[in-house]
CSV table of all heavy atoms in Angstrom, one decimal:
chain,number,residue,atom,x,y,z
A,1,MET,N,-46.8,14.8,-255.0
A,1,MET,CA,-46.1,15.5,-254.0
A,1,MET,C,-45.1,14.5,-253.3
A,1,MET,O,-45.5,13.4,-253.1
A,1,MET,CB,-47.1,16.2,-253.0
A,1,MET,CG,-46.4,16.8,-251.8
A,1,MET,SD,-47.6,17.6,-250.7
A,1,MET,CE,-47.8,19.1,-251.6
A,2,HIS,N,-44.0,15.0,-252.8
A,2,HIS,CA,-43.1,14.2,-252.1
A,2,HIS,C,-43.0,14.5,-250.6
A,2,HIS,O,-43.3,15.6,-250.2
A,2,HIS,CB,-41.7,14.3,-252.7
A,2,HIS,CG,-41.6,13.9,-254.1
A,2,HIS,ND1,-41.4,14.8,-255.2
A,2,HIS,CD2,-41.9,12.7,-254.7
A,2,HIS,CE1,-41.4,14.1,-256.3
A,2,HIS,NE2,-41.7,12.8,-256.1
A,3,ALA,N,-42.7,13.5,-249.8
A,3,ALA,CA,-42.6,13.7,-248.4
A,3,ALA,C,-41.6,12.6,-247.8
A,3,ALA,O,-41.1,11.8,-248.6
A,3,ALA,CB,-44.0,13.5,-247.7
A,4,THR,N,-41.4,12.7,-246.5
A,4,THR,CA,-40.6,11.7,-245.9
A,4,THR,C,-41.4,10.9,-244.8
A,4,THR,O,-42.1,11.6,-244.1
A,4,THR,CB,-39.4,12.5,-245.2
A,4,THR,OG1,-38.7,13.2,-246.1
A,4,THR,CG2,-38.5,11.5,-244.5
A,5,ALA,N,-41.3,9.6,-244.9
A,5,ALA,CA,-42.0,8.8,-243.9
A,5,ALA,C,-41.5,9.2,-242.5
A,5,ALA,O,-40.3,9.3,-242.2
A,5,ALA,CB,-41.8,7.3,-244.1
A,6,TYR,N,-42.4,9.4,-241.6
A,6,TYR,CA,-42.1,9.8,-240.2
A,6,TYR,C,-42.4,8.7,-239.2
A,6,TYR,O,-41.6,8.3,-238.4
A,6,TYR,CB,-42.8,11.1,-239.9
A,6,TYR,CG,-42.5,11.8,-238.6
A,6,TYR,CD1,-41.2,12.0,-238.3
A,6,TYR,CD2,-43.5,12.1,-237.7
A,6,TYR,CE1,-40.8,12.5,-237.0
A,6,TYR,CE2,-43.1,12.7,-236.5
A,6,TYR,CZ,-41.8,12.9,-236.2
A,6,TYR,OH,-41.5,13.5,-234.9
A,7,THR,N,-43.6,8.2,-239.3
A,7,THR,CA,-44.0,7.1,-238.4
A,7,THR,C,-44.8,6.1,-239.2
A,7,THR,O,-45.4,6.4,-240.2
A,7,THR,CB,-45.0,7.6,-237.2
A,7,THR,OG1,-46.2,8.1,-237.7
A,7,THR,CG2,-44.3,8.7,-236.4
A,8,TYR,N,-44.8,4.9,-238.7
A,8,TYR,CA,-45.6,3.8,-239.3
A,8,TYR,C,-45.8,2.7,-238.3
A,8,TYR,O,-44.9,2.3,-237.6
A,8,TYR,CB,-44.8,3.3,-240.6
A,8,TYR,CG,-45.6,2.1,-241.2
A,8,TYR,CD1,-46.8,2.3,-241.8
A,8,TYR,CD2,-45.1,0.8,-241.1
A,8,TYR,CE1,-47.5,1.2,-242.3
A,8,TYR,CE2,-45.8,-0.3,-241.6
A,8,TYR,CZ,-47.0,-0.1,-242.3
A,8,TYR,OH,-47.7,-1.1,-242.8
A,9,ASP,N,-47.1,2.3,-238.2
A,9,ASP,CA,-47.5,1.1,-237.4
A,9,ASP,C,-47.9,0.0,-238.3
A,9,ASP,O,-48.9,0.1,-239.0
A,9,ASP,CB,-48.6,1.6,-236.5
A,9,ASP,CG,-49.1,0.5,-235.6
A,9,ASP,OD1,-49.0,-0.7,-235.9
A,9,ASP,OD2,-49.6,0.8,-234.5
A,10,ALA,N,-47.1,-1.1,-238.4
A,10,ALA,CA,-47.4,-2.2,-239.3
A,10,ALA,C,-48.7,-2.9,-238.9
A,10,ALA,O,-49.3,-3.5,-239.8
A,10,ALA,CB,-46.2,-3.2,-239.2
A,11,GLU,N,-49.1,-2.9,-237.7
A,11,GLU,CA,-50.4,-3.6,-237.3
A,11,GLU,C,-51.6,-2.9,-237.8
A,11,GLU,O,-52.5,-3.5,-238.3
A,11,GLU,CB,-50.4,-3.7,-235.8
A,11,GLU,CG,-49.5,-4.8,-235.2
A,11,GLU,CD,-49.8,-5.1,-233.7
A,11,GLU,OE1,-51.0,-4.9,-233.3
A,11,GLU,OE2,-48.8,-5.5,-233.1
A,12,THR,N,-51.6,-1.5,-237.7
A,12,THR,CA,-52.8,-0.8,-238.2
A,12,THR,C,-52.6,-0.2,-239.6
A,12,THR,O,-53.5,0.2,-240.2
A,12,THR,CB,-53.1,0.4,-237.2
A,12,THR,OG1,-51.9,1.3,-237.3
A,12,THR,CG2,-53.3,-0.1,-235.8
A,13,ARG,N,-51.4,-0.3,-240.2
A,13,ARG,CA,-51.0,0.3,-241.5
A,13,ARG,C,-51.3,1.7,-241.5
A,13,ARG,O,-51.7,2.3,-242.6
A,13,ARG,CB,-51.7,-0.5,-242.6
A,13,ARG,CG,-51.3,-2.0,-242.6
A,13,ARG,CD,-52.0,-2.8,-243.7
A,13,ARG,NE,-53.3,-2.4,-244.1
A,13,ARG,CZ,-54.5,-2.8,-243.5
A,13,ARG,NH1,-54.4,-3.4,-242.4
A,13,ARG,NH2,-55.6,-2.4,-244.0
A,14,THR,N,-51.1,2.4,-240.4
A,14,THR,CA,-51.3,3.9,-240.3
A,14,THR,C,-50.0,4.5,-239.9
A,14,THR,O,-49.1,3.9,-239.5
A,14,THR,CB,-52.3,4.3,-239.3
A,14,THR,OG1,-52.0,3.9,-238.0
A,14,THR,CG2,-53.7,3.7,-239.6
A,15,GLY,N,-49.9,5.8,-240.2
A,15,GLY,CA,-48.7,6.5,-239.8
A,15,GLY,C,-48.7,8.0,-240.2
A,15,GLY,O,-49.8,8.5,-240.3
A,16,SER,N,-47.6,8.6,-240.4
A,16,SER,CA,-47.5,10.0,-240.8
A,16,SER,C,-46.3,10.2,-241.6
A,16,SER,O,-45.4,9.5,-241.6
A,16,SER,CB,-47.5,10.9,-239.6
A,16,SER,OG,-46.4,10.7,-238.8
A,17,VAL,N,-46.4,11.3,-242.4
A,17,VAL,CA,-45.2,11.7,-243.2
A,17,VAL,C,-44.9,13.2,-242.8
A,17,VAL,O,-45.8,13.9,-242.3
A,17,VAL,CB,-45.5,11.6,-244.7
A,17,VAL,CG1,-45.8,10.2,-245.1
A,17,VAL,CG2,-46.6,12.6,-245.1
A,18,LEU,N,-43.7,13.6,-243.2
A,18,LEU,CA,-43.4,15.0,-243.0
A,18,LEU,C,-43.3,15.6,-244.4
A,18,LEU,O,-42.6,15.1,-245.3
A,18,LEU,CB,-42.0,15.2,-242.3
A,18,LEU,CG,-42.0,14.8,-240.8
A,18,LEU,CD1,-40.5,14.9,-240.3
A,18,LEU,CD2,-42.9,15.6,-240.0
A,19,LEU,N,-44.0,16.7,-244.7
A,19,LEU,CA,-43.9,17.4,-245.9
A,19,LEU,C,-42.5,18.1,-245.9
A,19,LEU,O,-41.9,18.2,-244.9
A,19,LEU,CB,-45.0,18.4,-246.1
A,19,LEU,CG,-46.4,17.9,-246.0
A,19,LEU,CD1,-47.4,19.0,-246.2
A,19,LEU,CD2,-46.7,16.8,-247.0
A,20,ASP,N,-42.1,18.6,-247.0
A,20,ASP,CA,-40.8,19.2,-247.1
A,20,ASP,C,-40.7,20.4,-246.3
A,20,ASP,O,-39.5,20.9,-245.9
A,20,ASP,CB,-40.4,19.5,-248.6
A,20,ASP,CG,-40.1,18.2,-249.3
A,20,ASP,OD1,-39.9,17.2,-248.7
A,20,ASP,OD2,-40.2,18.3,-250.6
A,21,ASP,N,-41.7,21.0,-245.9
A,21,ASP,CA,-41.7,22.2,-245.0
A,21,ASP,C,-41.8,21.8,-243.6
A,21,ASP,O,-41.8,22.7,-242.7
A,21,ASP,CB,-42.8,23.2,-245.3
A,21,ASP,CG,-44.2,22.7,-245.0
A,21,ASP,OD1,-44.4,21.6,-244.6
A,21,ASP,OD2,-45.2,23.5,-245.3
A,22,GLY,N,-41.7,20.5,-243.3
A,22,GLY,CA,-41.8,20.0,-241.9
A,22,GLY,C,-43.1,19.7,-241.3
A,22,GLY,O,-43.2,19.3,-240.2
A,23,THR,N,-44.2,20.0,-242.1
A,23,THR,CA,-45.5,19.8,-241.6
A,23,THR,C,-45.8,18.2,-241.5
A,23,THR,O,-45.7,17.6,-242.6
A,23,THR,CB,-46.6,20.4,-242.5
A,23,THR,OG1,-46.2,21.8,-242.6
A,23,THR,CG2,-48.0,20.3,-242.0
A,24,PRO,N,-46.3,17.8,-240.3
A,24,PRO,CA,-46.6,16.3,-240.3
A,24,PRO,C,-48.0,16.2,-240.8
A,24,PRO,O,-48.9,17.0,-240.5
A,24,PRO,CB,-46.5,16.0,-238.8
A,24,PRO,CG,-46.7,17.3,-238.1
A,24,PRO,CD,-46.2,18.4,-239.0
A,25,VAL,N,-48.3,15.1,-241.6
A,25,VAL,CA,-49.6,14.8,-242.1
A,25,VAL,C,-49.9,13.3,-241.9
A,25,VAL,O,-49.0,12.5,-242.4
A,25,VAL,CB,-49.8,15.2,-243.6
A,25,VAL,CG1,-51.1,14.8,-244.1
A,25,VAL,CG2,-49.4,16.6,-243.8
A,26,PRO,N,-50.9,12.9,-241.2
A,26,PRO,CA,-51.2,11.5,-240.9
A,26,PRO,C,-51.8,10.8,-242.1
A,26,PRO,O,-52.4,11.5,-243.0
A,26,PRO,CB,-52.2,11.5,-239.7
A,26,PRO,CG,-52.9,12.8,-239.9
A,26,PRO,CD,-51.9,13.8,-240.5
A,27,PHE,N,-51.6,9.5,-242.2
A,27,PHE,CA,-52.3,8.7,-243.3
A,27,PHE,C,-53.0,7.5,-242.6
A,27,PHE,O,-52.5,7.0,-241.6
A,27,PHE,CB,-51.4,8.3,-244.4
A,27,PHE,CG,-50.2,7.4,-244.0
A,27,PHE,CD1,-50.4,6.1,-243.9
A,27,PHE,CD2,-49.0,8.0,-243.7
A,27,PHE,CE1,-49.4,5.2,-243.6
A,27,PHE,CE2,-47.9,7.1,-243.4
A,27,PHE,CZ,-48.1,5.7,-243.3
A,28,ASP,N,-54.1,7.1,-243.2
A,28,ASP,CA,-54.8,6.0,-242.7
A,28,ASP,C,-54.5,4.7,-243.5
A,28,ASP,O,-53.8,4.7,-244.5
A,28,ASP,CB,-56.3,6.2,-242.7
A,28,ASP,CG,-56.9,6.7,-244.0
A,28,ASP,OD1,-56.2,6.5,-245.0
A,28,ASP,OD2,-58.0,7.2,-244.0
A,29,ALA,N,-55.0,3.6,-243.1
A,29,ALA,CA,-54.8,2.3,-243.8
A,29,ALA,C,-55.2,2.3,-245.3
A,29,ALA,O,-54.5,1.8,-246.1
A,29,ALA,CB,-55.5,1.2,-243.0
A,30,PRO,N,-56.4,2.9,-245.6
A,30,PRO,CA,-56.7,2.8,-247.1
A,30,PRO,C,-55.7,3.6,-247.9
A,30,PRO,O,-55.4,3.2,-249.1
A,30,PRO,CB,-58.1,3.5,-247.1
A,30,PRO,CG,-58.7,3.2,-245.8
A,30,PRO,CD,-57.5,3.3,-244.8
A,31,ALA,N,-55.1,4.7,-247.4
A,31,ALA,CA,-54.1,5.4,-248.2
A,31,ALA,C,-52.8,4.6,-248.3
A,31,ALA,O,-52.2,4.6,-249.4
A,31,ALA,CB,-53.8,6.7,-247.5
A,32,PHE,N,-52.5,3.9,-247.3
A,32,PHE,CA,-51.3,3.0,-247.3
A,32,PHE,C,-51.5,1.8,-248.3
A,32,PHE,O,-50.7,1.5,-249.2
A,32,PHE,CB,-50.9,2.5,-246.0
A,32,PHE,CG,-49.7,1.6,-246.0
A,32,PHE,CD1,-48.5,2.1,-246.0
A,32,PHE,CD2,-49.8,0.2,-245.9
A,32,PHE,CE1,-47.3,1.4,-246.0
A,32,PHE,CE2,-48.7,-0.6,-245.9
A,32,PHE,CZ,-47.4,0.0,-246.0
A,33,ASP,N,-52.7,1.2,-248.2
A,33,ASP,CA,-53.0,0.0,-249.1
A,33,ASP,C,-53.1,0.5,-250.5
A,33,ASP,O,-52.8,-0.3,-251.4
A,33,ASP,CB,-54.4,-0.6,-248.6
A,33,ASP,CG,-54.3,-1.2,-247.2
A,33,ASP,OD1,-53.1,-1.5,-246.7
A,33,ASP,OD2,-55.3,-1.4,-246.6
A,34,ALA,N,-53.5,1.6,-250.8
A,34,ALA,CA,-53.7,2.1,-252.2
A,34,ALA,C,-52.3,2.1,-252.9
A,34,ALA,O,-52.3,2.0,-254.2
A,34,ALA,CB,-54.3,3.5,-252.3
A,35,GLY,N,-51.3,2.3,-252.2
A,35,GLY,CA,-50.0,2.3,-252.8
A,35,GLY,C,-49.3,1.0,-253.0
A,35,GLY,O,-48.3,0.9,-253.7
A,36,GLY,N,-49.9,-0.1,-252.5
A,36,GLY,CA,-49.4,-1.4,-252.7
A,36,GLY,C,-48.1,-1.8,-251.9
A,36,GLY,O,-47.4,-2.7,-252.2
A,37,LEU,N,-47.8,-0.9,-250.9
A,37,LEU,CA,-46.6,-1.2,-250.1
A,37,LEU,C,-46.9,-2.3,-249.1
A,37,LEU,O,-48.0,-2.5,-248.7
A,37,LEU,CB,-46.2,0.1,-249.4
A,37,LEU,CG,-45.8,1.2,-250.3
A,37,LEU,CD1,-45.5,2.5,-249.4
A,37,LEU,CD2,-44.6,0.9,-251.1
A,38,ARG,N,-45.8,-3.0,-248.6
A,38,ARG,CA,-45.9,-4.0,-247.5
A,38,ARG,C,-45.4,-3.4,-246.2
A,38,ARG,O,-45.7,-3.9,-245.2
A,38,ARG,CB,-45.3,-5.2,-247.9
A,38,ARG,CG,-46.0,-5.9,-249.0
A,38,ARG,CD,-45.4,-7.3,-249.4
A,38,ARG,NE,-44.0,-7.1,-249.7
A,38,ARG,CZ,-43.1,-8.1,-249.7
A,38,ARG,NH1,-43.5,-9.3,-249.3
A,38,ARG,NH2,-41.9,-7.9,-250.1
A,39,LEU,N,-44.4,-2.4,-246.4
A,39,LEU,CA,-43.7,-2.0,-245.2
A,39,LEU,C,-43.2,-0.5,-245.5
A,39,LEU,O,-43.0,-0.2,-246.6
A,39,LEU,CB,-42.5,-2.8,-244.9
A,39,LEU,CG,-41.6,-2.4,-243.7
A,39,LEU,CD1,-42.4,-2.6,-242.4
A,39,LEU,CD2,-40.4,-3.3,-243.6
A,40,LEU,N,-43.1,0.2,-244.4
A,40,LEU,CA,-42.6,1.6,-244.6
A,40,LEU,C,-41.6,1.9,-243.4
A,40,LEU,O,-42.0,1.6,-242.3
A,40,LEU,CB,-43.8,2.6,-244.6
A,40,LEU,CG,-43.5,4.0,-245.0
A,40,LEU,CD1,-42.9,4.1,-246.4
A,40,LEU,CD2,-44.7,4.9,-244.9
A,41,ARG,N,-40.5,2.4,-243.7
A,41,ARG,CA,-39.5,2.7,-242.7
A,41,ARG,C,-39.4,4.2,-242.5
A,41,ARG,O,-39.3,5.0,-243.6
A,41,ARG,CB,-38.1,2.1,-243.0
A,41,ARG,CG,-38.1,0.6,-242.9
A,41,ARG,CD,-36.7,0.0,-243.1
A,41,ARG,NE,-36.3,0.3,-244.4
A,41,ARG,CZ,-36.4,-0.5,-245.5
A,41,ARG,NH1,-37.0,-1.6,-245.3
A,41,ARG,NH2,-35.9,-0.2,-246.7
A,42,PRO,N,-39.3,4.7,-241.3
A,42,PRO,CA,-39.1,6.1,-241.1
A,42,PRO,C,-37.8,6.6,-241.9
A,42,PRO,O,-36.8,5.9,-241.9
A,42,PRO,CB,-38.9,6.3,-239.6
A,42,PRO,CG,-39.7,5.2,-239.1
A,42,PRO,CD,-39.5,4.0,-240.0
A,43,GLY,N,-37.9,7.7,-242.5
A,43,GLY,CA,-36.8,8.3,-243.3
A,43,GLY,C,-36.9,8.0,-244.7
A,43,GLY,O,-36.2,8.7,-245.6
A,44,GLN,N,-37.7,7.1,-245.2
A,44,GLN,CA,-37.9,6.8,-246.6
A,44,GLN,C,-38.6,8.0,-247.3
A,44,GLN,O,-39.5,8.5,-246.7
A,44,GLN,CB,-38.7,5.5,-246.9
A,44,GLN,CG,-38.0,4.3,-246.6
A,44,GLN,CD,-38.8,3.0,-246.9
A,44,GLN,OE1,-39.9,2.9,-246.3
A,44,GLN,NE2,-38.3,2.2,-247.9
A,45,ARG,N,-38.2,8.2,-248.5
A,45,ARG,CA,-38.8,9.3,-249.3
A,45,ARG,C,-40.0,8.6,-250.0
A,45,ARG,O,-39.9,7.4,-250.5
A,45,ARG,CB,-37.9,9.9,-250.4
A,45,ARG,CG,-36.9,10.8,-249.8
A,45,ARG,CD,-37.5,12.0,-249.2
A,45,ARG,NE,-37.9,12.9,-250.3
A,45,ARG,CZ,-38.5,14.1,-250.1
A,45,ARG,NH1,-38.8,14.5,-248.8
A,45,ARG,NH2,-38.9,14.8,-251.1
A,46,VAL,N,-41.2,9.2,-249.9
A,46,VAL,CA,-42.4,8.7,-250.5
A,46,VAL,C,-43.1,9.7,-251.4
A,46,VAL,O,-42.8,10.9,-251.3
A,46,VAL,CB,-43.4,8.2,-249.4
A,46,VAL,CG1,-42.8,7.0,-248.6
A,46,VAL,CG2,-43.7,9.4,-248.4
A,47,ARG,N,-43.9,9.2,-252.2
A,47,ARG,CA,-44.8,10.1,-253.0
A,47,ARG,C,-46.2,9.9,-252.4
A,47,ARG,O,-46.6,8.8,-252.1
A,47,ARG,CB,-44.8,9.6,-254.5
A,47,ARG,CG,-45.6,10.5,-255.4
A,47,ARG,CD,-45.5,10.2,-256.8
A,47,ARG,NE,-46.2,8.9,-257.1
A,47,ARG,CZ,-47.6,8.9,-257.3
A,47,ARG,NH1,-48.3,9.9,-257.2
A,47,ARG,NH2,-48.1,7.7,-257.5
A,48,ILE,N,-46.8,11.1,-252.2
A,48,ILE,CA,-48.2,11.1,-251.7
A,48,ILE,C,-49.1,11.8,-252.6
A,48,ILE,O,-48.7,12.7,-253.4
A,48,ILE,CB,-48.2,11.7,-250.2
A,48,ILE,CG1,-47.7,13.1,-250.3
A,48,ILE,CG2,-47.4,10.8,-249.3
A,48,ILE,CD1,-47.9,13.8,-249.0
A,49,GLU,N,-50.4,11.5,-252.5
A,49,GLU,CA,-51.4,12.3,-253.1
A,49,GLU,C,-52.3,12.8,-252.0
A,49,GLU,O,-52.7,12.1,-251.1
A,49,GLU,CB,-52.3,11.5,-254.1
A,49,GLU,CG,-51.4,11.1,-255.3
A,49,GLU,CD,-52.2,10.4,-256.4
A,49,GLU,OE1,-53.4,10.2,-256.3
A,49,GLU,OE2,-51.5,9.9,-257.3
A,50,LEU,N,-52.6,14.1,-252.1
A,50,LEU,CA,-53.4,14.8,-251.0
A,50,LEU,C,-54.7,15.2,-251.6
A,50,LEU,O,-54.9,15.5,-252.8
A,50,LEU,CB,-52.7,16.1,-250.5
A,50,LEU,CG,-51.4,15.9,-249.7
A,50,LEU,CD1,-50.7,17.3,-249.5
A,50,LEU,CD2,-51.7,15.2,-248.4
A,51,GLU,N,-55.7,15.3,-250.7
A,51,GLU,CA,-57.0,15.8,-251.0
A,51,GLU,C,-57.4,16.9,-250.0
A,51,GLU,O,-57.1,16.7,-248.8
A,51,GLU,CB,-58.0,14.6,-250.8
A,51,GLU,CG,-59.4,14.8,-251.1
A,51,GLU,CD,-60.2,13.5,-251.0
A,51,GLU,OE1,-60.7,13.3,-249.8
A,51,GLU,OE2,-60.3,12.8,-251.9
A,52,GLY,N,-58.0,18.0,-250.4
A,52,GLY,CA,-58.4,19.0,-249.5
A,52,GLY,C,-57.3,20.2,-249.6
A,52,GLY,O,-56.3,20.1,-250.3
A,53,THR,N,-57.5,21.1,-248.6
A,53,THR,CA,-56.6,22.2,-248.5
A,53,THR,C,-55.4,21.9,-247.5
A,53,THR,O,-55.5,20.9,-246.8
A,53,THR,CB,-57.3,23.5,-248.1
A,53,THR,OG1,-57.8,23.2,-246.8
A,53,THR,CG2,-58.5,23.8,-249.0
A,54,LYS,N,-54.5,22.8,-247.4
A,54,LYS,CA,-53.4,22.5,-246.5
A,54,LYS,C,-53.8,22.3,-245.1
A,54,LYS,O,-53.3,21.5,-244.4
A,54,LYS,CB,-52.3,23.6,-246.6
A,54,LYS,CG,-51.1,23.4,-245.8
A,54,LYS,CD,-50.0,24.4,-246.0
A,54,LYS,CE,-48.8,24.0,-245.1
A,54,LYS,NZ,-47.6,24.7,-245.4
A,55,ASP,N,-54.8,23.1,-244.7
A,55,ASP,CA,-55.3,23.0,-243.3
A,55,ASP,C,-56.1,21.7,-243.1
A,55,ASP,O,-56.2,21.3,-241.9
A,55,ASP,CB,-56.1,24.2,-242.9
A,55,ASP,CG,-55.3,25.5,-242.9
A,55,ASP,OD1,-54.1,25.4,-242.7
A,55,ASP,OD2,-55.9,26.6,-243.2
A,56,THR,N,-56.7,21.2,-244.1
A,56,THR,CA,-57.5,20.0,-243.9
A,56,THR,C,-57.0,18.9,-244.8
A,56,THR,O,-57.8,18.0,-245.3
A,56,THR,CB,-59.0,20.3,-244.3
A,56,THR,OG1,-59.0,20.7,-245.7
A,56,THR,CG2,-59.6,21.4,-243.4
A,57,ALA,N,-55.7,18.9,-245.1
A,57,ALA,CA,-55.2,17.9,-246.1
A,57,ALA,C,-55.4,16.4,-245.5
A,57,ALA,O,-55.2,16.2,-244.4
A,57,ALA,CB,-53.7,18.1,-246.2
A,58,ARG,N,-55.7,15.6,-246.5
A,58,ARG,CA,-55.9,14.1,-246.2
A,58,ARG,C,-55.1,13.4,-247.3
A,58,ARG,O,-55.3,13.6,-248.5
A,58,ARG,CB,-57.4,13.8,-246.3
A,58,ARG,CG,-57.7,12.4,-246.0
A,58,ARG,CD,-59.2,12.1,-246.1
A,58,ARG,NE,-59.5,10.7,-246.2
A,58,ARG,CZ,-59.6,10.1,-247.4
A,58,ARG,NH1,-59.4,10.7,-248.5
A,58,ARG,NH2,-59.8,8.8,-247.4
A,59,ILE,N,-54.3,12.5,-246.8
A,59,ILE,CA,-53.5,11.7,-247.8
A,59,ILE,C,-54.4,10.5,-248.3
A,59,ILE,O,-55.0,9.8,-247.5
A,59,ILE,CB,-52.3,11.1,-247.1
A,59,ILE,CG1,-51.3,12.3,-246.7
A,59,ILE,CG2,-51.5,10.1,-248.0
A,59,ILE,CD1,-50.1,11.8,-245.9
A,60,THR,N,-54.4,10.4,-249.6
A,60,THR,CA,-55.2,9.3,-250.3
A,60,THR,C,-54.3,8.2,-250.9
A,60,THR,O,-54.9,7.2,-251.2
A,60,THR,CB,-56.1,9.9,-251.4
A,60,THR,OG1,-55.3,10.6,-252.3
A,60,THR,CG2,-57.1,10.9,-250.8
A,61,LEU,N,-53.0,8.5,-250.9
A,61,LEU,CA,-52.1,7.5,-251.5
A,61,LEU,C,-50.7,7.7,-250.9
A,61,LEU,O,-50.2,8.8,-250.9
A,61,LEU,CB,-52.0,7.6,-253.0
A,61,LEU,CG,-51.0,6.8,-253.8
A,61,LEU,CD1,-51.4,5.3,-253.9
A,61,LEU,CD2,-50.7,7.3,-255.1
A,62,VAL,N,-50.0,6.6,-250.6
A,62,VAL,CA,-48.6,6.6,-250.1
A,62,VAL,C,-47.9,5.5,-250.9
A,62,VAL,O,-48.3,4.4,-250.9
A,62,VAL,CB,-48.5,6.3,-248.6
A,62,VAL,CG1,-47.0,6.3,-248.2
A,62,VAL,CG2,-49.2,7.3,-247.8
A,63,THR,N,-46.9,5.9,-251.6
A,63,THR,CA,-46.1,4.9,-252.4
A,63,THR,C,-44.6,5.4,-252.3
A,63,THR,O,-44.3,6.5,-252.0
A,63,THR,CB,-46.6,4.7,-253.8
A,63,THR,OG1,-46.0,3.6,-254.4
A,63,THR,CG2,-46.4,6.0,-254.7
A,64,LEU,N,-43.7,4.5,-252.7
A,64,LEU,CA,-42.3,4.9,-252.7
A,64,LEU,C,-42.0,5.9,-253.9
A,64,LEU,O,-42.6,5.7,-254.9
A,64,LEU,CB,-41.4,3.6,-252.8
A,64,LEU,CG,-41.4,2.7,-251.6
A,64,LEU,CD1,-40.5,1.5,-251.9
A,64,LEU,CD2,-41.0,3.5,-250.4
A,65,GLN,N,-41.1,6.8,-253.6
A,65,GLN,CA,-40.7,7.7,-254.6
A,65,GLN,C,-39.8,7.0,-255.6
A,65,GLN,O,-38.9,6.3,-255.2
A,65,GLN,CB,-40.0,8.9,-254.0
A,65,GLN,CG,-39.4,9.9,-255.0
A,65,GLN,CD,-38.7,11.0,-254.3
A,65,GLN,OE1,-39.0,11.4,-253.2
A,65,GLN,NE2,-37.8,11.6,-255.0
A,66,THR,N,-40.1,7.2,-256.9
A,66,THR,CA,-39.1,6.6,-257.9
A,66,THR,C,-38.7,7.7,-258.7
A,66,THR,O,-39.4,8.8,-258.9
A,66,THR,CB,-39.9,5.6,-258.7
A,66,THR,OG1,-41.0,6.1,-259.4
A,66,THR,CG2,-40.3,4.4,-257.9
A,67,PHE,N,-37.6,7.5,-259.3
A,67,PHE,CA,-37.0,8.6,-260.1
A,67,PHE,C,-37.2,8.4,-261.6
A,67,PHE,O,-37.3,7.4,-262.1
A,67,PHE,CB,-35.4,8.7,-259.8
A,67,PHE,CG,-35.1,9.1,-258.4
A,67,PHE,CD1,-34.9,8.1,-257.5
A,67,PHE,CD2,-35.2,10.4,-258.1
A,67,PHE,CE1,-34.6,8.4,-256.2
A,67,PHE,CE2,-34.9,10.8,-256.7
A,67,PHE,CZ,-34.6,9.8,-255.8
């Protein structure tokens, strides 16, 4: 699934993304670390993997979107 980086805290490696419908979804450090990224800037397009339903969605992976 694709999303847009919304917030990111480099110290805690946590943040949030906006789904294409505008829904914000937070991610934790393990999800960020799983993608192998070092930095994330708001506005970057990312690929995410979600676990759970839309109401209880949890991001398990954040990585840059590649074409």
Side-chain angles (χ1 to χ4, degrees):
M1 173 179 275
H2 297 116
T4 302
Y6 185 53
T7 64
Y8 175 67
D9 181 331
E11 286 190 29
T12 62
R13 299 181 327 281
T14 62
S16 64
V17 300
L18 292 176
L19 301 181
D20 289 341
D21 68 0
T23 304
V25 181
F27 62 85
D28 55 15
F32 182 79
D33 293 344
L37 299 176
R38 293 186 299 162
L39 179 66
L40 190 61
R41 290 185 297 267
Q44 283 183 299
R45 287 294 286 175
V46 294
R47 185 176 69 82
I48 60 172
E49 291 183 9
L50 292 172
E51 182 177 89
T53 65
K54 185 171 180 168
D55 294 332
T56 63
R58 179 179 164 273
I59 296 176
T60 59
L61 173 77
V62 178
T63 191
L64 291 181
Q65 176 180 334
T66 58
F67 297 96

